[in-house]
């Protein structure tokens, strides 16, 4: 079986959980013998034909245009990074596509492509909806437009059995690929606009998400929590939704040895400092705990649009030098901060899954996770508390500080547990989704 | 008779490194040695060396008729020694003329007066010791960091041996109808008080090169003419003092050489001294010239020479500044008790007022000045590094 997969993130770049999840998932799919043609928002129009397991690290690339491929073949690259730089997979996906290279999306829609979208059955109207809601001047929207425009060419050039698209950024592309190739489409919900915005969010993105899920043959949700969300908010038929929990991708060479920075208990928030992640609840918890245990330190690791507000608020609360900010951390710095922490808190307001707690647990850090998260469905050796229940969180942290043996034991149990949450199992579930989708689809067209 | 009292503030802080959480409790230094060295050498070349040379020439030329006073902080002197020893030598040469007064202050240019009296006294003594060892000089005039002053300060300074005069800002809301051109006494009449004449001081320090300023360009003739006009207010032959107080870095650093600031300063003394009723003296000499009963003046609330407000808001207005400084002064006694001299020295370098100035968020007219003087991208960054540094010191206790 061969899958055409659209995703916006893939290592070497990881901005959130999506890139890491795709990496672990694809590697395990390859192990199962499923081939994947990966489409990323690259500067050059290329695809990555992945066959062997270690292709996820090598990322072999093929140009769609033969001239460019010939040129590409003549160049010898010193290493993988150099080759990826040439294709335009840099460490920041924002720079994948240069703004000036972006074709006039609307112009294309209004000319040659128009007939393509003109079929007026209810199903195709979803495609039209997705395409015509992808309008706007924001850099991200325009990059998604460019990515989407390539889908038709890609889908006609490649041979595959099924299409798999991750999150709204890739839904329009996946939908066009389905229309072009007449192969079934699986969309994968890692997060909805409701999760990301922490409020009503962007109307256009809601419409694209809705259209994508309606148009798709199957919807994969990363958790029961997310499945509930898309049933209640988007009214998606539960029969078409399959839940496949994310798993944990262990970093090669991970050793969980503690390397303390602080003598006192160290409590960590790790993630984007945005409304969704609940950093303000972390601050409220810190204020409560520090009144009882002034010897501990609270660390906020990450950046985000709420950073300044959180910093000023922490100063206002006079938390002295007990509430610290790391700013942006690279991969190895994230490891350092995890090794220095005793307790990890995920106070997310809405977390479809949440890879970060698994990572914290893999380092033996005792975790307190929001009940409003997908990850709380898959782990047992962690404290699960409503994000808004700051008193409970504070009490739990105090309890762990006062009972360091229990804290250590919980961390150790969590570590063992996480190491058994494997992508191989998740990939097996995805394989089943693929085969059932395919057979149903084949049945439907043979009728 | 009107005497001009020139006092120049010479100060360089130890700027903090971009100090991350992950740097905490490691052996590395808190301070950005490279930046401190580069800035010191830049300012030495643009300001300290050429200005010292110029003023030394003028002092020698007028043989006692032109005089000036300096307040040089301990952190500046330390960094001269580290990065630009020739600057310290040139200051010694100036002091050796006998026509230069040195003023006492806190060694670390700190706000300790507001938070910790013992620390304040320690730092003043450290600075006195430094003036003694470097210049063999015993100061008689005191100025607190950024000319911060209130009645309470005069009580403390009065208790320190040797100080007879204090300098501060001529704040309108305190002076009311009174003129800053006279020497006053502090509220308890125990010390001589000199008030900065901020309009003419700031004409040189801030407005000299400002093309938007209606009086631009400021010529020596124009300036001397303004000074001459001030003497019209003189009554009953009471001697007046025009207190021109400013940062020394005005010369060549804040006002670049291209603005003509050096020419201005070169020609000002000779034009002033052409007038029989104008002269120059230093702060400690003013009581001898005050041929009248000095009125006492009370400063119930603290004032300073910073920004339009002339209060403490440049350093102690927002929550970041308050949390940072309160944390520092809570930590300081614990570090003293702990007894590690190295830790104490680092903590004291963190008492320097500039660290709190960098955290200022008043981004109006004055904010520009704050921004220009900050080595960090934002007040928030300055705060983060500072708080991390305080966490580092605390972790190194025990």
């Amino acid at each position: 079986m061969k899958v055409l997969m659209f995703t916006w993130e893939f290592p070497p770049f990881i901005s959130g959980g999506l890139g890491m999840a795709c990496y672990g998932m694809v590697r395990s799919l390859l192990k199962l013998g499923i081939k994947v043609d990966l489409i990323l928002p690259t500067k050059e129009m290329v695809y990555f034909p992945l066959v062997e397991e270690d292709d996820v690290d090598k990322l072999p690339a093929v140009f769609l245009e033969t001239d460019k491929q010939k040129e590409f073949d003549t160049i010898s690259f010193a290493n993988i990074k150099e080759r990826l730089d040439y294709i335009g997979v840099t460490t920041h996906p924002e720079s994948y596509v240069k703004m000036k290279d972006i074709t006039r999306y609307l112009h294309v829609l209004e000319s040659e492509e128009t007939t393509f979208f003109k079929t007026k059955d209810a199903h195709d109207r979803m495609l039209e909806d997705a395409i015509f809601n992808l309008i706007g001047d924001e850099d991200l929207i325009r990059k998604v437009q460019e990515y989407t425009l390539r889908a038709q060419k890609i889908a006609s050039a490649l041979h595959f059995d099924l299409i798999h698209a991750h999150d709204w950024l890739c839904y329009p592309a996946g939908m066009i690929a389905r229309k072009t190739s007449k192969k079934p489409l699986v969309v994968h919900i890692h997060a909805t606009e409701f999760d990301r915005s922490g409020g009503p969010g962007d109307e256009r993105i809601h419409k694209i998400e809705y259209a994508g899920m309606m148009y798709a043959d199957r919807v994969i949700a990363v958790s029961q929590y997310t499945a509930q969300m898309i049933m209640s908010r988007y009214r998606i038929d539960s029969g078409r939704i399959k839940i496949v929990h994310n798993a944990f991708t262990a970093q090669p060479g991970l050793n969980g040895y503690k390397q303390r920075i602080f003598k006192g208990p160290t409590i960590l928030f790790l993630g984007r400092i945005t409304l969704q992640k609940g950093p303000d609840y972390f601050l409220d918890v810190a204020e409560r705990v520090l009144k009882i245990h002034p010897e501990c330190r609270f660390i906020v690791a990450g950046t985000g649009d709420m950073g300044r507000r959180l910093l000023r608020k922490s100063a206002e609360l006079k938390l002295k030098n007990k509430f610290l900010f790391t700013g942006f951390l690279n991969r190895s710095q994230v490891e350092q901060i995890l090794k220095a922490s005793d307790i990890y808190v995920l106070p997310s307001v809405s977390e479809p899954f949440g890879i970060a707690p698994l990572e914290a647990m893999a380092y033996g850090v005792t975790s307190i996770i929001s009940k409003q998260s997908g990850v709380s469905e898959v782990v047992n050796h962690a404290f699960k508390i409503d994000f808004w229940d700051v008193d409970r969180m504070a009490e739990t942290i105090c309890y762990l500080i006062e009972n360091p043996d229990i804290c250590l034991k919980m961390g150790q149990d969590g570590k063992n547990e996480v190491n058994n949450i494997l992508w191989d199992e998740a990939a097996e579930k995805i394989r089943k989704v693929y085969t059932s989708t395919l057979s149903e689809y084949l049945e439907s067209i043979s009728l | 008779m009107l005497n001009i009292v020139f006092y120049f503030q010479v100060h360089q802080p130890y700027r903090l490194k971009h100090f991350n959480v992950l740097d905490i409790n490691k052996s590395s230094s808190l301070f950005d040695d490279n930046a401190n060295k580069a800035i010191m050498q830049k300012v030495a070349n643009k300001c300290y060396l050429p200005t010292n040379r110029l003023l030394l020439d003028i002092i020698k030329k007028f043989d006692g008729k032109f005089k000036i006073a300096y307040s040089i902080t301990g952190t500046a002197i330390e960094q001269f020694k580290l990065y630009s020893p020739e600057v310290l030598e040139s200051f010694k040469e100036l002091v050796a003329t006998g026509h230069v007064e040195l003023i006492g202050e806190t060694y670390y240019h700190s706000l300790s007066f507001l938070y910790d009296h013992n620390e304040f006294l320690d730092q003043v003594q450290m600075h006195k010791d430094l003036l003694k060892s470097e210049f063999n000089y015993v100061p008689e005039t005191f100025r607190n960091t950024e000319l911060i002053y209130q009645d309470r300060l005069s009580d403390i300074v009065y208790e320190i041996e040797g100080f007879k005069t204090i300098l501060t800002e001529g704040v309108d809301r305190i002076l009311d109808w009174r003129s800053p051109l006279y020497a006053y006494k502090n509220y308890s009449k125990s010390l001589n008080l000199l008030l900065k004449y901020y309009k003419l001081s700031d004409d040189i320090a801030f407005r000299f090169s400002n093309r938007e300023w209606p009086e631009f360009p400021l010529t020596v003739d124009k300036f001397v003419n303004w000074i001459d006009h001030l003497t019209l207010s003189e009554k009953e032959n009471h001697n007046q003092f025009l207190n021109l107080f400013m940062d020394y870095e005005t010369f060549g650093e804040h006002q670049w050489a291209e603005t003509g600031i050096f020419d201005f300063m070169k020609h000002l003394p000779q034009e002033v001294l052409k007038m029989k009723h104008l002269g120059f003296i230093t702060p400690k000499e003013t009581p001898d010239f005050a041929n009248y009963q000095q009125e006492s003046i009370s400063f119930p609330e603290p004032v300073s020479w910073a920004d339009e407000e002339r209060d403490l808001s440049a350093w102690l207005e927002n929550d970041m500044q308050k949390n940072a400084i309160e944390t520092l002064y809570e930590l300081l006694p614990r570090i003293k008790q702990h007894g590690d001299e190295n830790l104490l020295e680092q903590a004291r370098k963190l008492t320097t007022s500039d660290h709190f100035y960098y955290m200022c968020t008043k981004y109006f007219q004055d904010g520009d000045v704050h921004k220009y003087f900050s080595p960090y991208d934002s007040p928030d960054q300055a705060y983060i590094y500072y708080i991390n540094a305080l966490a580092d010191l605390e972790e190194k206790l025990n």
Side-chain angles (χ1 to χ4, degrees):
Chain A
M1 190 179 346
K2 192 165 163 197
V3 175
L4 177 65
M5 186 179 282
F6 292 94
T7 182
W8 202 257
E9 279 183 25
F10 204 83
F13 180 80
I14 310 158
S15 103
L18 178 62
M20 273 323 279
C22 285
Y23 176 87
M25 181 190 310
V26 170
R27 192 166 68 179
S28 292
L29 285 172
L30 294 171
K31 266 203 242 177
L32 293 174
I34 296 170
K35 299 185 189 79
V36 176
D37 282 348
L38 194 65
I39 312 296
L40 293 171
T42 45
K43 187 179 85 207
E44 301 292 340
M45 211 197 288
V46 298
Y47 67 99
F48 300 89
L50 312 180
V51 179
E52 305 293 338
E53 193 187 333
D54 59 358
D55 284 347
V56 289
D57 297 310
K58 291 183 191 157
L59 288 181
V62 177
F63 280 75
L64 276 189
E65 291 164 31
T66 35
D67 289 354
K68 288 210 167 175
Q69 181 63 33
K70 274 181 195 157
E71 194 187 322
F72 184 58
D73 287 339
T74 61
I75 308 169
S76 61
F77 297 99
N79 51 42
I80 293 174
K81 190 190 167 295
E82 214 174 80
R83 183 164 51 82
L84 292 181
D85 282 348
Y86 179 84
I87 300 163
V89 188
T90 58
T91 43
H92 297 285
E94 289 78 14
S95 62
Y96 281 176
V97 182
K98 284 208 180 69
M99 294 311 295
K100 68 176 171 59
D101 297 335
I102 290 180
T103 335
R104 299 278 303 158
Y105 181 74
L106 275 178
H107 175 75
V108 174
L109 290 192
E110 279 156 12
S111 58
E112 47 183 304
E113 305 292 322
T114 333
T115 49
F116 187 73
F117 302 110
K118 274 279 154 73
T119 357
K120 284 294 177 190
D121 67 59
H123 192 236
D124 274 351
R125 204 161 298 138
M126 286 299 147
L127 176 59
E128 201 183 314
D129 251 19
I131 299 305
F132 285 96
N133 272 297
L134 187 56
I135 302 290
D137 284 333
E138 300 93 328
D139 284 5
L140 182 64
I141 292 279
R142 291 177 59 196
K143 284 172 186 179
V144 177
Q145 289 174 356
E146 169 67 16
Y147 185 76
T148 304
L149 284 178
R150 290 178 184 181
Q152 197 189 359
K153 207 170 273 177
I154 287 165
S156 15
L158 303 182
H159 298 282
F160 47 88
D161 303 297
L162 181 137
I163 305 151
H164 190 161
H166 296 278
D167 271 0
W168 76 270
L169 298 155
C170 300
Y171 294 171
M175 293 163 84
I176 287 181
R178 186 190 191 280
K179 171 91 178 170
T180 309
S181 65
K182 305 200 163 44
K183 303 287 183 188
L185 168 67
V186 175
V187 296
H188 203 130
I189 320 290
H190 295 262
T192 67
E193 181 65 2
F194 288 109
D195 303 305
R196 279 184 299 267
S197 64
D202 190 321
E203 179 70 21
R204 295 166 300 175
I205 297 173
H206 283 303
K207 286 192 168 148
I208 293 168
E209 287 180 335
Y210 177 72
M213 287 187 258
M214 292 301 282
Y215 193 77
D217 298 272
R218 201 63 103 235
V219 178
I220 297 178
V222 291
S223 61
Q224 181 66 42
Y225 176 79
T226 300
Q228 284 297 340
M229 173 88 87
I230 57 184
M231 281 190 280
S232 64
R233 301 282 185 120
Y234 295 89
R235 303 275 163 208
I236 301 299
D237 169 17
S238 62
R240 289 194 300 124
I241 302 172
K242 295 288 172 206
I243 297 165
V244 179
H245 286 108
N246 282 341
F248 174 63
T249 315
Q251 293 293 313
L254 180 150
N255 72 59
Y257 296 124
K258 281 269 166 268
Q259 229 165 350
R260 303 200 68 83
I261 295 174
F262 302 104
K263 293 189 187 77
T266 307
I267 299 129
L268 177 69
F269 172 97
L270 173 66
R272 280 175 296 116
I273 309 175
T274 59
L275 202 63
Q276 182 200 351
K277 302 291 179 183
D280 39 343
Y281 295 99
F282 185 69
L283 178 64
D284 288 348
V285 170
E287 190 201 4
R288 284 163 168 76
V289 173
L290 283 166
K291 278 188 184 135
I292 301 161
H293 289 287
E295 75 279 16
C296 56
R297 299 216 195 249
F298 287 79
I299 315 293
V300 174
T303 56
D305 57 12
M306 265 176 75
R308 169 165 293 186
R309 208 171 92 193
L310 193 70
L311 177 84
R312 302 271 172 100
K313 192 83 203 298
S314 74
E316 187 190 325
L317 292 174
K318 298 277 167 73
L319 298 186
K320 306 208 175 97
N321 52 355
K322 309 294 185 184
F323 196 87
L324 305 176
F325 290 81
T326 68
F328 173 79
L329 296 184
N330 65 29
R331 195 57 229 159
S332 85
Q333 291 170 323
V334 167
E335 278 177 31
Q336 284 180 54
I337 204 75
L338 284 167
K339 287 181 177 183
S341 302
D342 301 297
I343 300 170
Y344 166 89
V345 184
L346 177 94
S348 293
V349 172
S350 180
E351 190 69 76
F353 189 77
I355 291 256
L358 296 186
E359 188 163 33
M361 289 168 77
Y363 281 84
V365 185
T366 303
S367 295
I368 297 174
I369 53 186
S370 158
K371 276 188 184 170
Q372 287 67 34
S373 73
V375 69
S376 66
E377 297 163 22
V378 298
V379 295
N380 294 311
H381 296 282
F383 294 91
K384 300 167 193 174
I385 301 175
D386 289 307
F387 71 88
W388 43 263
D389 198 348
V390 285
D391 287 325
R392 273 273 326 268
M393 280 198 209
E395 280 163 23
T396 307
I397 291 171
C398 289
Y399 171 78
L400 290 170
I401 291 170
E402 288 149 19
N403 298 280
D405 293 348
I406 294 174
C407 185
L408 266 179
K409 169 103 177 32
M410 192 79 169
Q412 195 55 46
D413 291 347
K415 185 174 175 176
N416 296 335
E417 183 179 20
V418 161
N419 284 316
N420 288 313
I421 302 174
L422 301 174
W423 271 114
D424 287 350
E425 284 171 33
E428 180 53 37
K429 287 181 192 158
I430 292 172
R431 193 184 62 82
K432 283 187 182 135
V433 174
Y434 286 167
T435 45
S436 68
T437 309
L438 257 180
S439 57
E440 254 176 57
Y441 180 76
L442 292 175
E443 259 172 50
S444 74
I445 52 173
S446 64
L447 284 176
Chain B
M1 180 84 187
L2 180 146
N3 281 300
I4 296 172
V5 182
F6 262 125
Y7 135 64
F8 303 118
Q9 179 62 37
V10 182
H11 171 56
Q12 289 297 329
Y14 283 97
R15 292 155 199 89
L16 260 180
K17 272 208 294 221
H18 290 201
F19 196 79
N20 201 291
V21 171
L22 295 172
D23 299 323
I24 292 172
N25 216 358
K26 299 208 172 108
S27 54
S28 56
S29 153
L30 295 177
F31 301 97
D32 191 340
D33 298 340
N34 292 333
N36 289 323
K37 180 179 180 180
I39 291 170
M40 176 53 84
Q41 291 178 344
K42 184 188 81 172
V43 181
N45 288 325
K46 285 174 78 178
C47 165
Y48 300 142
L49 291 171
T51 317
N52 284 6
R53 202 175 309 124
L54 173 71
L55 295 180
L56 183 66
D57 287 348
I58 302 173
I59 287 169
K60 284 183 173 164
K61 183 175 162 194
F62 292 104
D63 190 29
K65 290 204 172 68
F66 178 68
K67 300 173 172 192
I68 51 176
Y70 290 106
S71 190
I72 312 176
T73 63
T75 56
I77 290 175
E78 281 184 11
Q79 294 189 81
F80 291 150
K81 287 183 173 178
L82 282 170
Y83 307 127
S84 200
E86 63 276 25
V87 172
L88 184 56
E89 289 313 309
S90 67
F91 274 115
K92 286 181 178 173
E93 223 178 314
L94 277 162
V95 175
T97 63
H99 304 305
V100 169
E101 180 183 345
L102 292 181
I103 294 170
E105 66 167 307
T106 56
Y107 189 100
Y108 291 97
H109 196 264
S110 72
L111 303 172
S112 52
F113 155 66
L114 299 163
Y115 286 88
D116 184 337
H117 284 183
N118 288 331
E119 177 62 16
F120 173 76
L121 291 171
D122 283 353
Q123 290 197 11
V124 173
Q125 189 57 47
M126 284 176 75
H127 189 247
K128 277 181 87 171
D129 293 346
L130 184 71
L131 295 186
K132 184 73 190 163
S133 65
E134 293 299 328
F135 300 97
N136 193 26
Y137 196 95
V138 180
E140 293 174 41
T141 303
F142 184 81
R143 60 73 76 179
N144 193 23
T145 305
E146 308 285 353
L147 294 190
I148 292 170
Y149 178 80
Q150 69 186 106
D151 291 342
R152 210 156 51 83
L153 177 76
S154 67
D155 291 339
I156 303 169
V157 172
Y158 178 65
E159 295 294 325
I160 306 172
E161 199 194 323
F163 289 124
K164 300 185 181 74
T165 296
I166 296 188
L167 311 183
T168 188
E169 175 67 274
V171 182
D172 292 332
R173 62 180 182 273
I174 301 283
L175 278 168
D176 200 2
W177 52 271
R178 289 167 289 206
S179 162
L181 292 172
Y182 294 96
Y184 291 88
K185 291 275 188 188
N186 70 323
Y187 83 104
S188 64
K189 301 203 177 204
S190 51
L191 289 166
N192 184 42
L193 203 57
L194 294 182
L195 307 177
K196 175 185 156 193
Y197 197 96
Y198 70 78
K199 193 196 159 290
L200 290 185
S201 298
D202 295 349
D203 284 344
I204 299 175
F206 299 144
R207 289 180 281 271
F208 186 81
S209 62
N210 181 359
R211 290 170 181 277
E212 319 264 292
W213 182 37
E215 299 295 345
F216 180 89
L218 182 60
T219 60
V220 170
D221 283 350
K222 191 187 282 181
F223 198 70
V224 173
N225 190 29
W226 289 345
I227 296 172
D228 192 28
H229 264 80
L230 294 176
T231 61
L232 295 175
S233 67
E234 190 180 316
K235 289 190 183 92
E236 300 167 24
N237 288 326
H238 285 181
N239 284 331
Q240 293 177 311
F241 309 101
L242 173 61
N243 300 315
L244 297 179
F245 300 168
M246 64 196 72
D247 282 336
Y248 200 39
E249 294 79 13
T250 297
F251 304 98
E253 168 62 14
H254 305 168
Q255 309 292 345
W256 293 356
E258 295 76 37
T259 65
I261 190 78
F262 288 114
D263 275 346
F264 177 86
M265 203 54 201
K266 184 178 174 187
H267 294 112
L268 181 67
Q270 68 190 41
E271 294 307 315
V272 166
L273 291 171
K274 277 180 189 164
M275 310 266 203
K276 285 280 175 291
H277 58 296
L278 299 181
F280 295 95
I281 58 170
T282 67
K284 69 173 180 183
E285 297 171 319
T286 54
D288 301 335
F289 285 80
N291 53 353
Y292 44 86
Q293 184 77 32
Q294 286 174 246
E295 206 180 311
S296 80
I297 190 162
S298 173
F299 288 70
E301 299 298 325
V303 301
S304 81
W305 72 358
D307 300 346
E308 284 294 316
E309 297 90 342
R310 297 190 157 72
D311 58 11
L312 302 180
S313 58
W315 310 276
L316 296 170
E317 184 192 48
N318 66 43
D319 293 322
M320 296 188 286
Q321 295 169 315
K322 287 176 187 161
N323 187 52
I325 201 162
E326 285 167 18
T327 307
L328 169 74
Y329 281 101
E330 265 184 48
L331 195 56
L332 204 53
R334 288 170 58 201
I335 294 175
K336 284 179 186 169
Q337 201 175 12
H338 177 259
D340 182 331
E341 284 300 319
N342 180 274
L343 280 189
L344 181 57
E345 190 186 327
Q346 295 194 58
R348 282 181 160 157
K349 286 175 180 174
L350 293 178
T351 65
T352 300
S353 65
D354 303 61
H355 297 298
F356 310 103
Y357 193 79
Y358 302 145
M359 298 173 202
C360 178
T361 46
K362 294 192 293 177
Y363 275 120
F364 305 108
Q365 227 174 336
D366 296 324
D368 302 338
V369 181
H370 291 255
K371 225 173 175 177
Y372 177 81
F373 290 111
S374 176
Y376 311 107
D377 294 341
S378 69
D380 305 70
Q381 284 300 323
Y383 173 75
I384 287 173
Y385 301 138
Y386 190 87
I387 289 291
N388 286 344
L390 291 183
D392 178 75
L393 292 182
E394 190 175 26
E395 287 296 326
K396 284 173 177 164
L397 289 175
N398 309 322

